[in-house]
Amino acid sequence: MASPRIIMKLTVVAARKEPGDVLVIDVKHPRKSLLPPFEPGSHVDVHLPDGKVRQYSLCGDPMDLSRYTIAVKREQAGRGGSAWIHETVAVGSTLPVSAPRNHFPLDIGQGPAMLLAGGIGITPIVAMARVMERLGRPYELHYFTRSRALTPLLSVTEQALDASNVRLHFDDEPETRQDLESLLAGRSADAQLYYCGPPGFMAAVDRAAAHWPDGTVHFEAFQPPERDGVPPAPFTIELRDGTVVPVAADTSALAALRTAGVLLMASCENGVCGTCECGMLEGQPIHQDAVLSKEARALRFMPCVSRATGVLRLDL
Ligand code: FES
């Protein structure tokens, strides 16, 4: 995969509205016929004119590198990035886009894939389904939304995928509803679970899949989980060379490290993109990101949102 530090000025070649206040955008390189390759689950950073960076999953066909496709839901309570894209981006616009990176890899060689999407969480999941289908690998896609009329990318799931692998669940069509507990209660041998969606959906799947073995559950969130309401407390970071960096209650670890002269790359500063990830040697972290798996949490740390109690030794 190309370095995500590469930023390409791509041209918008198609932009169409989809249900659910979603804008689907296709971008191409203005001179090259092929873009850097990507795996299902990958996302790109879109760089906005005010310096903001937003992450969007690639929902197109990973075998078609002539274009990238992203789907942007207008977030009414968002930080303004999606609104800017909806109001400004049109065919012919130039969009600075990073090379893809992947924090949500699909292990094609493993057993059957259970793919669960809530709303706009369909974007990485549909790319996974496309690849499983092309390779003839077993999968089930369950797509949960409030109603058929508000479901983005419905035509893609219906046209690009074998209908026998796809189940649509609409809140307002009782006969289609599916209870997550019963869906995930019985796990077929070697099955792997992949899921993506809004915070309530993520929490519900997390609860329903609590009995699945470690290493079989994979997810990507667009927002970090709800904080537990406990006010942040100060803590201390210790670097490999023994340097001590105090982190005040009202400062992020990332900001404290920057003040101490430790320059880490960062992008979302919201615990969802994985850019600021660093190694952790010892201590009691309070993980608040939406990127690290349970296993990775023993060794990795996201200083833009995560905190700790006492002294945290980082591999910096
Ligand atoms: S900068 Fe995105 S997770 Fe930290």
Side-chain angles (χ1 to χ4, degrees):
M1 211 175 265
S3 167
R5 295 187 196 191
I6 296 173
I7 298 175
M8 302 168 286
K9 291 190 173 172
L10 303 184
T11 305
V12 176
V13 295
R16 70 171 194 275
K17 292 276 187 187
E18 283 267 336
D21 218 357
V22 169
L23 184 65
V24 176
I25 299 168
D26 286 359
V27 288
K28 285 187 162 189
H29 197 284
R31 296 179 310 281
K32 298 179 183 172
S33 59
L34 295 180
L35 291 163
F38 69 96
E39 302 156 350
S42 298
H43 70 267
V44 291
D45 291 343
V46 174
H47 294 256
L48 306 182
D50 61 359
K52 289 175 185 157
V53 182
R54 294 289 180 270
Q55 288 73 39
Y56 294 104
S57 295
L58 293 172
C59 56
D61 184 349
M63 299 299 286
D64 177 5
L65 295 179
S66 68
R67 65 184 59 211
Y68 291 155
T69 303
I70 59 173
V72 179
K73 181 174 176 60
R74 187 198 288 260
E75 300 293 350
Q76 300 298 350
R79 293 172 290 161
S82 64
W84 183 88
I85 290 174
H86 271 248
E87 287 156 19
T88 314
V89 171
V91 172
S93 302
T94 297
L95 215 50
V97 173
S98 72
R101 58 195 161 132
N102 196 359
H103 294 293
F104 189 32
L106 172 70
D107 193 340
I108 295 161
Q110 291 279 3
M114 179 70 103
L115 307 177
L116 269 52
I120 193 64
I122 189 65
T123 49
I125 295 292
V126 75
M128 292 180 169
R130 285 177 190 271
V131 169
M132 294 299 276
E133 184 140 326
R134 174 168 294 127
L135 296 178
R137 303 288 303 156
Y139 77 94
E140 259 177 56
L141 166 60
H142 292 263
Y143 187 9
F144 298 80
T145 66
R146 278 187 285 154
S147 78
R148 187 178 290 271
L150 293 173
T151 301
L153 300 181
L154 190 54
S155 58
V156 176
T157 58
E158 288 178 337
Q159 289 163 17
L161 304 175
D162 183 336
S164 67
N165 292 322
V166 179
R167 309 276 184 282
L168 302 170
H169 307 291
F170 305 117
D171 290 352
D172 64 355
E173 293 183 28
E175 68 282 6
T176 69
R177 281 199 211 139
Q178 170 70 56
D179 160 52
L180 286 168
E181 266 77 19
S182 52
L183 179 66
L184 298 174
R187 172 181 173 265
S188 56
D190 302 330
Q192 301 280 314
L193 172 63
Y194 299 84
Y195 65 101
C196 183
F201 176 79
M202 300 301 286
V205 179
D206 184 48
R207 280 194 301 275
H211 60 290
W212 282 50
D214 286 353
T216 64
V217 177
H218 317 270
F219 62 87
E220 181 168 72
F222 297 130
Q223 297 166 32
E226 301 286 332
R227 309 284 195 255
D228 57 10
V230 178
F235 65 102
T236 302
I237 290 173
E238 190 180 314
L239 307 181
R240 265 199 319 261
D241 66 1
T243 303
V244 168
V245 179
V247 183
D250 61 353
T251 307
S252 70
L254 180 68
L257 287 165
R258 281 176 174 158
T259 303
V262 182
L263 296 183
L264 285 172
M265 280 184 66
S267 176
C268 70
E269 303 203 13
N270 195 33
V272 296
C273 76
T275 309
C276 67
E277 178 177 342
C278 54
M280 189 177 67
L281 301 173
E282 200 177 357
Q284 285 189 291
I286 303 169
H287 292 292
Q288 296 184 318
D289 65 274
V291 177
L292 295 174
S293 65
K294 275 184 198 155
E295 298 78 44
R297 289 183 170 215
L299 297 168
R300 314 295 296 168
F301 183 77
M302 296 292 180
C304 67
V305 289
S306 295
R307 308 189 64 83
T309 50
V311 178
L312 185 74
R313 289 188 59 230
L314 292 181
D315 191 13
L316 291 172

